[in-house]
């Protein structure tokens, strides 16, 4: 089915009823009334408390764990260690490098060692204090260069390089020979902590028939089920996982979901009683995986007429203690390395390296943020060298239809980069902007562009599934494994179902993802929730629609082509007053034995790539974004303020404009955070600021004036209504837009973020870091 | 200790520990789940309630300190016209994403509009300065509060 | 982070009762809004066995101006200070400070007494109070003593309060005409955050001249401090923009801040002069002066 042409071909209409309209999301009321329940809200009084005993050493062998003193604390039921894991004590995501509970070796300060299971929080904490762990410290690797040095101690047994990537495209030497200007620089981007308002949590309830139910924060219920079953040594159907409404995720809960749920489940099963594990804020901020720090050495060449001729990029990703998502993160950076531009010669090398620090993991934009900070800074420097306007220079090189990406993927349609860039330039008055460099307060404008592949990486097959049930009273039960994290994707699915079935939005109930009854939609990450999950929803709805229309045709005694489903009624377009309500229609389906429920599936077109060259079709489709930013710099104090942001995004098709704006505005805030103020301080492997007091995130006072989002629509042929993913691309373009604006205001280049007041102050005084 | 106070318009008598925060008392002892635990340092505002009508972070208040006083959460303001206007504006203007900060955000906004029916944008930013949101970037929240004030005026 | 340690919370009905408890109880500490103390208690294995809550004592919460003196009860909340017209006019720098301290929620709980007793070198009420030549009254069972605020601070998070004592009042001469005070600080974002460095200034103007000057800095020393060397350079001089800049430099040269997770010593030194300059300018203009 031509998913992008559902409106015209399947529904026979020209206007949308709900898709593309501003509608109140159905979960908003409960959230405003305070009735919405998150994981910790479900935990009954007197539930057993689980607390994680963690390493105080960055790198050490464990020579002994003495649980005796901890067990003597009144109220403590049990202390579980690696030996108590019935299945395999392994929870690594991509590589087999991460025990659930470490009883042989610890790899970072905060590494889990044991689980305290106790009556209440005070007893559990007292037991944490009493637990005796004997360490044999090993040399701690605290930076990537130390890790890469020959003879460096190994963090894991197979060496300190967890994964390597490469792209060889065109002729790099010729590319640089053909360049008239060349710029080379090394860029550093740091950890970023999610600081979701809700900390990680899981609540596990065992039953007496060899099954455990786990309610928790997560982004992928089926991944959680797989990991929990693996830890317990059980079959998948012995584990039931329910995603509770999640208070912010941004990727972090995709990584933490399995870990926290497995720990709660282990405690629950071992003790035969319900168990709750809720992280403290400082535990979450110090120990959970963060945006991977990256060092990117970037060499770019362009001809004098402003055409990119070559890029040579060397990426070193700091994994920290475990590889986790590193292979996918590094691959995404590698595949996007040239930025959203046509560059025919590319030589990319990447490696992910272990250190003894808190490890990296999923975080909005997944590597593309660090990559674009480097790539877009390079574009700015090139424009400067060439004496060209930054927007004009970019427009000369942006990917267009027919263009090929860094990994030589042909973009045959749905390429909105040019339009996004042109429109933000126009909206911001780029052509007539007046930067101000004199005086104590300097002002400048900067532009940033980005693209982000929507789907799983490389040639991993991407698919999704959903189910729809038409109940006898005409109400609809919709099930998706895509998780509600705040972004509203499941509601987007409901809009799609509503549009296709003609059912009022209020009649559709979206059930919580529950592995016992929901189909696997694959994870809610990579901005794929609406594009892939929504297309599966469309498939399910389309199948059901066909049956409903079939029955309606008979009930209305009209031609099948004339049947309209709308507002909960079926009628013939020729005689609209003759109508059948959905309850009546539903009843008929049941009576006639026509399936009132359907499963929908969607598989994205097959992709392939060659690991030798790194070339191929890496992602299904790309979302494009551009931002212009105006900043003001207080040259006496170094403080940088973002005054105004103009964002644009090619979203394919806007299923819900309000939600798209919400995603972009939220992303601008997080991007501003990492660009200017979010600075995780890690010394000796210890996170010194694991709290809101000292890890600074933007408040309402900090949020800039964000112009109305410019929505560009270049529909993608293989998704419902042509929609593409939205959640991540906005954070990518705003970061270099800010640093480029800082350059415009001060003439200073920053190759490291965040540009804190202190760093700006030092740079303004010519102090080299 | 035995504690008596007014919670959402009802007289409440309950057992409380001296070292129990008002946040924990509300959530655990009294099953008021709208009040959320985000940081326990008074930094994030997810636990904001009204104490004698003024917004405070309940994680910093010790239970005995509310003896004889009035505590209000969103549950107690459901039918209040200012809250109704705020709620409708929040919902219609897209100010709600994950919802975790929302109850606290509404309490702070409520106190603002109750005392200052025609706030400026700066007034709104000041009122919610202590409520951190990681999802929305605050833009639609600020718009919704201003929208609510217009709805109340009309 | 840990659960709060076990303690007994006492809620005396009068100041006398509070003082009685502080002197008779073993290991007791006063608490008002708890905005500093409660987070602190979540970081320690063991805390004081007794907390004596004074926030409910109406007798300690007052704000008066009489006979040219402003007196503030120790448990007066920061909100009340912010709303006060007296503070806005008679302690301008203090108004500046409270305006940017904490959030609405923190200001509704936090008290002036609590901010001073916590004795952080970054306490924002301290520099504006220091430049107003404030005194504090400390009471214990049976006696009370008054001392200059400067003597109240002993070291980082260390005040001169004895375990059985309670800070009861802050007082200072109300600003008169031809005087101005101001407070500036640098945080790490526009929203509420701890001050990385702060400065307060007070000027009494006599025509074009600075008759009297007081300058205080926060977060650059173990306690909030005055800078008498700079004050001396300023008093009696004809005021110009250049003079204020020089005074900023004098301050910068006389301080020895440290590195911490919020900022480095060199940054603090570097921007202290800028803040002093800005505070002096604002104070001068508020005193009715013009700048050449």
């Amino acid at each position: 089915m031509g998913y992008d042409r559902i409106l015209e071909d399947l529904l026979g209409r020209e206007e949308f009823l709900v898709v593309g309209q501003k509608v109140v999301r159905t979960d908003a009321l409960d959230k405003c009334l305070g009735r919405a329940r998150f994981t910790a809200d479900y935990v009954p009084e007197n539930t057993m408390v689980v607390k994680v005993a963690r390493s105080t050493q960055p790198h050490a062998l464990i020579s002994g764990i003495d649980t005796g003193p901890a067990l003597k604390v009144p109220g403590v039921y049990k202390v579980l260690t690696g030996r108590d894991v019935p299945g395999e004590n392994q929870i690594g995501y991509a590589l087999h490098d991460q025990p659930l509970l470490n009883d042989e070796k610890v790899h970072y300060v905060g590494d889990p060692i044991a689980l305290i299971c106790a009556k209440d929080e005070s007893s559990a904490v007292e037991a944490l204090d009493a637990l005796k762990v004997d360490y044999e410290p090993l040399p701690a690797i605290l930076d990537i260069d130390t890790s890469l040095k020959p003879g460096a101690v190994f963090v894991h047994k197979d060496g300190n390089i967890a994964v390597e990537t490469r792209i060889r495209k065109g002729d790099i030497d010729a590319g640089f020979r053909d360049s008239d200007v060349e710029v080379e620089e090394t860029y550093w981007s740091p950890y970023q902590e999610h600081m979701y308002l809700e900390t990680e949590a899981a609540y596990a309830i065992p039953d007496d028939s060899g099954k455990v139910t786990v309610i928790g924060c997560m982004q992928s219920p089926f991944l959680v089920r797989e990991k929990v079953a693996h830890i317990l040594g059980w079959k998948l159907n012995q584990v039931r996982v329910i995603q509770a409404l999640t208070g912010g995720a941004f990727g972090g809960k995709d990584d933490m979901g399995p870990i926290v749920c497995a720990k709660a489940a282990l405690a629950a099963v071992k003790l035969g009683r319900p168990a709750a594990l809720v992280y403290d804020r400082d535990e979450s901020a110090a120990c959970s995986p963060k945006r991977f720090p990256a060092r990117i050495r970037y060499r770019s060449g362009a001809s004098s007429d402003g055409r990119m001729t070559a890029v040579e990029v060397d990426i070193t990703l700091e994994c920290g203690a475990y590889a986790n998502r590193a292979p996918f993160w590094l691959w995404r950076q590698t595949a996007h390395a040239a930025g959203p531009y046509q560059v025919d010669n590319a030589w990319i090398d990447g490696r992910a390296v272990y250190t003894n620090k808190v490890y990296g993991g999923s975080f909005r934009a997944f590597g593309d943020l660090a990559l674009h900070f480097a790539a877009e800074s390079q574009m700015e420097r090139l424009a400067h060298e060439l004496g060209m306007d930054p927007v004009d220079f970019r427009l000369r090189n942006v990917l267009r239809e027919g263009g090929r990406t860094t990994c030589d993927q042909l973009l045959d349609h749905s390429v909105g980069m040019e339009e996004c860039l042109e429109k933000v330039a126009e909206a911001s008055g780029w052509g007539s902007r007046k930067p101000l460099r004199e005086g104590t307060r300097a002002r400048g404008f900067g532009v940033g562009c980005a693209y982000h592949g929507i789907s799983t990486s490389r040639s991993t097959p991407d698919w999704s599934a959903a189910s729809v049930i038409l109940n006898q009273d005409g109400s609809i039960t919709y099930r998706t494994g895509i998780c509600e994290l705040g972004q509203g994707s499941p509601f987007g699915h409901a809009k799609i179902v509503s549009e296709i079935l003609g059912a009022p939005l209020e009649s559709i109930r979206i059930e919580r993802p529950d592995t016992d009854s929901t189909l696997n939609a694959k994870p809610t990450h990579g901005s794929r929730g609406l594009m892939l999950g929504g297309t599966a929803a469309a498939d399910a709805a389309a199948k059901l629609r066909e049956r409903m229309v079939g029955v309606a045709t008979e009930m209305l005694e009209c031609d099948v082509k004339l049947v309209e489903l709308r507002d909960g009624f079926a009628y013939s377009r020729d005689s609209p007053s003759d109508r059948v309500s959905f309850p009546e229609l539903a009843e008929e389906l049941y009576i006639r034995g026509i399936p009132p429920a359907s499963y929908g599936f969607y598989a994205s077109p097959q992709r392939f790539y060659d690991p030798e060259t790194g070339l191929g079709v890496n992602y299904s489709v790309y979302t494009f974004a551009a931002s212009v930013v105006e900043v003001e710099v207080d040259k006496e104090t170094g403080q940088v303020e973002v005054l105004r942001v103009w964002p644009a995004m090619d979203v394919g098709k806007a299923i819900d404009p309000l939600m798209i704006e919400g995603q972009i505005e939220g992303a601008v805030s997080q991007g501003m955070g990492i660009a200017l103020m979010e600075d995780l301080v890690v010394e000796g492997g210890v996170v010194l600021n694991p709290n809101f007091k000292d890890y600074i995130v933007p408040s309402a006072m900090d949020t800039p004036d964000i112009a109305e989002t410019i929505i560009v629509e270049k529909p993608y042929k293989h998704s419902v209504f042509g929609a593409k993913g939205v959640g991540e691309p906005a954070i990518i373009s705003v970061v270099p837009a800010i640093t480029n604006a800082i350059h415009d205001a001060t003439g200073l280049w920053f190759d490291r973020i965040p540009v804190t007041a202190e760093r700006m102050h030092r740079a303004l005084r010519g102090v080299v870091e | 200790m035995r504690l008596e106070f007014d919670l959402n318009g009802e007289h409440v008598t309950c057992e409380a520990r001296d070292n129990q925060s008002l946040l924990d008392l509300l959530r655990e002892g009294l099953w008021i789940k709208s009040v959320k635990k985000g940081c326990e340092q008074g930094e994030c505002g997810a636990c904001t309630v009204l104490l004698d009508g003024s917004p405070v972070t309940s994680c910093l208040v010790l239970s005995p300190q509310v003896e004889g006083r009035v505590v209000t959460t969103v549950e107690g303001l459901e039918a209040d016209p200012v809250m109704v206007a705020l709620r409708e504006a929040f919902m219609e203007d897209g100010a709600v994403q994950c919802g975790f900060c929302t109850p606290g955000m509404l309490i702070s906004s409520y106190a603002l509009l109750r005392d200052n029916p025609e706030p400026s944008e700066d007034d709104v930013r000041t009122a919610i300065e202590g409520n951190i949101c990681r999802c929305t970037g605050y833009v639609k929240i600020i718009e919704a509060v201003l929208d609510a004030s217009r709805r109340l005026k009309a | 982070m840990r659960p709060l340690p076990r303690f007994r919370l006492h809620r005396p009905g009068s100041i006398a009762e509070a003082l009685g408890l502080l002197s008779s109880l073993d290991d007791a500490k006063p608490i008002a809004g708890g905005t500093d103390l409660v987070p602190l208690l979540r970081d320690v294995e063991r805390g004081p066995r007794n907390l004596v809550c004074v926030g409910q004592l109406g007798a300690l919460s007052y704000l008066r101006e009489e006979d040219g003196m402003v007196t503030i009860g120790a448990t007066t909340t920061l909100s009340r200070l912010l709303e006060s017209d007296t503070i806005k006019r008679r302690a301008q720098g203090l108004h500046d400070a409270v305006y940017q301290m904490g959030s609405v929620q923190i200001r509704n709980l936090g008290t002036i007494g609590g901010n001073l007793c916590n004795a952080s070198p970054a306490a924002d009420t301290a520099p504006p109070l220091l430049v107003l030549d404030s005194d504090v009254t400390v009471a214990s069972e049976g006696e009370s003593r008054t001392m200059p605020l400067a003597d109240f601070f002993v070291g980082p998070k260390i005040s001169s309060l004895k375990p059985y004592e309670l800070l009861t009042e802050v007082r200072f001469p109300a600003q008169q005409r031809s005087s101005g005070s101001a407070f500036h600080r640098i945080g790490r974002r526009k929203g509420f955050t701890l001050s990385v460095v702060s400065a307060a200034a007070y000027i009494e103007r006599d025509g074009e001249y600075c008759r009297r000057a007081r300058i205080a800095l926060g977060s650059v020393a173990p306690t909030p401090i005055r800078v008498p060397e700079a004050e001396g350079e300023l008093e009696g001089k004809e005021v110009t923009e250049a003079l204020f800049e020089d005074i900023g430099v004098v301050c910068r040269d006389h301080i020895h801040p440290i590195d911490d997770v919020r900022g480095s010593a060199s940054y603090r030194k570097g921007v202290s002069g800028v803040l002093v300059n800005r505070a002096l300018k604002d104070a001068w203009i508020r005193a009715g002066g013009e700048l050449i």
Side-chain angles (χ1 to χ4, degrees), chain A residues 139-150:
Chain A
I141 308 269
L142 298 175
D143 64 75
I144 49 187
D145 289 318
T146 307
S147 184
L148 288 167
K149 232 185 259 196

Side-chain angles (χ1 to χ4, degrees), chain A residues 560-735:
Chain A
V560 67
K561 285 202 202 64
L562 291 171
V563 173
E564 177 82 41
L565 298 182
R566 196 172 170 136
D567 298 327
F569 288 94
Y571 58 88
S572 163
R573 276 194 210 96
D574 274 355
S575 129
S577 50
D578 261 332
R579 54 192 205 164
V580 161
S581 71
F582 274 20
E584 292 172 290
L585 183 56
E587 189 71 35
E588 269 305 301
L589 262 85
Y590 280 85
I591 288 171
R592 295 175 192 215
I594 293 177
S598 61
Y599 287 135
F601 294 100
Y602 167 68
S604 78
Q606 263 231 315
R607 311 192 302 281
F608 74 92
Y609 95 113
D610 175 0
E612 271 309 299
T613 57
L615 304 180
V617 180
N618 268 268
Y619 297 93
S620 297
V621 71
Y622 294 79
T623 292
F624 296 88
S627 309
V628 167
V629 167
E630 185 187 3
V631 302
E632 185 175 273
V633 179
D634 181 332
K635 282 155 65 176
E636 289 181 329
T637 63
Q639 288 165 305
V640 179
E641 188 183 335
V642 175
L643 297 177
R644 218 158 167 214
V645 181
W646 293 264
M649 190 181 293
D650 163 21
V651 304
K653 167 75 198 156
I655 303 293
D656 191 310
L658 214 54
M659 288 193 327
I660 289 172
E661 285 167 15
Q663 283 301 292
I664 286 173
E665 289 156 4
V668 165
S669 188
Q670 283 186 343
M672 190 176 74
I674 195 181
L676 297 178
M677 61 188 81
E678 293 183 39
D679 194 11
L680 197 76
V681 180
V682 186
E683 252 163 56
V686 177
V687 176
L688 296 182
N689 56 342
N691 52 57
F692 281 103
K693 202 179 215 82
D694 287 319
Y695 181 82
I696 309 298
V697 302
S699 72
M701 288 287 202
D702 299 283
T703 216
D705 189 359
I706 304 182
E708 195 175 324
T709 298
I710 294 166
I711 292 180
V712 170
E713 289 180 328
K714 300 275 190 215
Y716 173 47
K717 286 197 179 81
H718 305 289
S719 75
V720 62
F721 303 123
K724 298 197 278 193
V726 166
E728 292 169 285
I731 195 178
I732 307 170
S733 64
V734 81
V735 172

